[in-house]
Amino acid sequence: IIGSGRIDGSITEWFRSWGATGFAEAISRLFPFGGLLVVLAAVFASTSALNATIYSSTRVSFALGRDGNLPSFFGHISKKTRIPDVALFFSGSITIIFAAVFDVEIVMAGASIFFIFLFNLVTFSGMKIRIERGHELQYGYLMPFFPLIPILSILGRTLIGIFLLDMA
């Protein structure tokens, strides 16, 4: 497929032959230092995404422990550092184990599926609040066609998650 700088076959086959590094290889052939720029962008994006994931998973497990939906030790806050240390330990441990055991593609697909799951939970929660307590709340904006739009968003995200499962 790859022969002296030209492509034999389709572009899809060429990208498939390079696997996960196909985009970086294509950019490095188009621009000087293009591959380096793609690698740096991937490292910075992954670092910020990992940071946000660990913060959010720590915060969610802390809140669930505090509210009694997880074991209460998840709701512990360190007296010295004033951080949810038990929740941080468990979130960090799970992240390290998954990163060490699985391929990067599986970890990325799993993280994306988990985010889809969390977004669906938020949508379900918002629907439940509006249905059960909507008459008590004052809204600046009411979503039209409720609950059709939230249901369609849940179905759409679930469909994306199914495609991500196929990738893992």
Side-chain angles (χ1 to χ4, degrees):
I1 292 175
I2 303 164
S4 66
R6 59 177 259 238
I7 299 172
D8 297 330
S10 72
I11 290 177
T12 305
E13 291 172 2
W14 185 87
F15 272 106
R16 188 174 293 133
S17 73
W18 283 96
T21 61
F23 179 73
E25 181 62 29
I27 296 297
S28 69
R29 290 178 181 219
L30 288 173
F31 303 107
F33 304 109
L36 177 64
L37 292 174
V38 169
V39 168
L40 288 174
V43 167
F44 289 131
S46 299
T47 303
S48 67
L50 181 62
N51 197 21
T53 301
I54 290 174
Y55 278 140
S56 64
S57 63
T58 299
R59 175 69 183 139
V60 167
S61 56
F62 162 73
L64 290 172
R66 180 194 61 204
D67 295 343
N69 296 312
L70 280 179
S72 61
F73 59 81
F74 280 98
H76 180 263
I77 294 181
S78 169
K79 289 181 175 41
K80 181 180 179 184
T81 59
R82 307 216 2 104
I83 62 169
D85 53 353
V86 176
L88 179 61
F89 173 76
F90 277 100
S91 296
S93 298
I94 290 169
T95 302
I96 289 169
I97 290 168
F98 270 79
V101 172
F102 297 107
D103 291 334
V104 68
E105 289 89 3
I106 292 173
V107 173
M108 290 181 340
S112 298
I113 290 167
F114 185 71
F115 273 115
I116 287 171
F117 175 72
L118 287 177
F119 291 149
N120 281 345
L121 280 179
V122 169
T123 304
F124 275 124
S125 299
M127 290 172 60
K128 182 179 179 189
I129 290 170
R130 179 155 173 203
I131 290 168
E132 292 178 359
R133 302 186 64 202
H135 61 281
E136 300 172 15
L137 304 172
Q138 291 186 356
Y139 296 96
Y141 171 78
L142 278 178
M143 178 188 308
F145 307 113
F146 180 83
L148 178 64
I149 292 176
I151 290 170
L152 289 175
S153 72
I154 289 169
L155 291 174
R157 284 191 299 264
T158 303
L159 185 64
I160 292 170
I162 290 169
F163 285 117
L164 286 173
L165 280 175
D166 187 46
M167 292 176 61

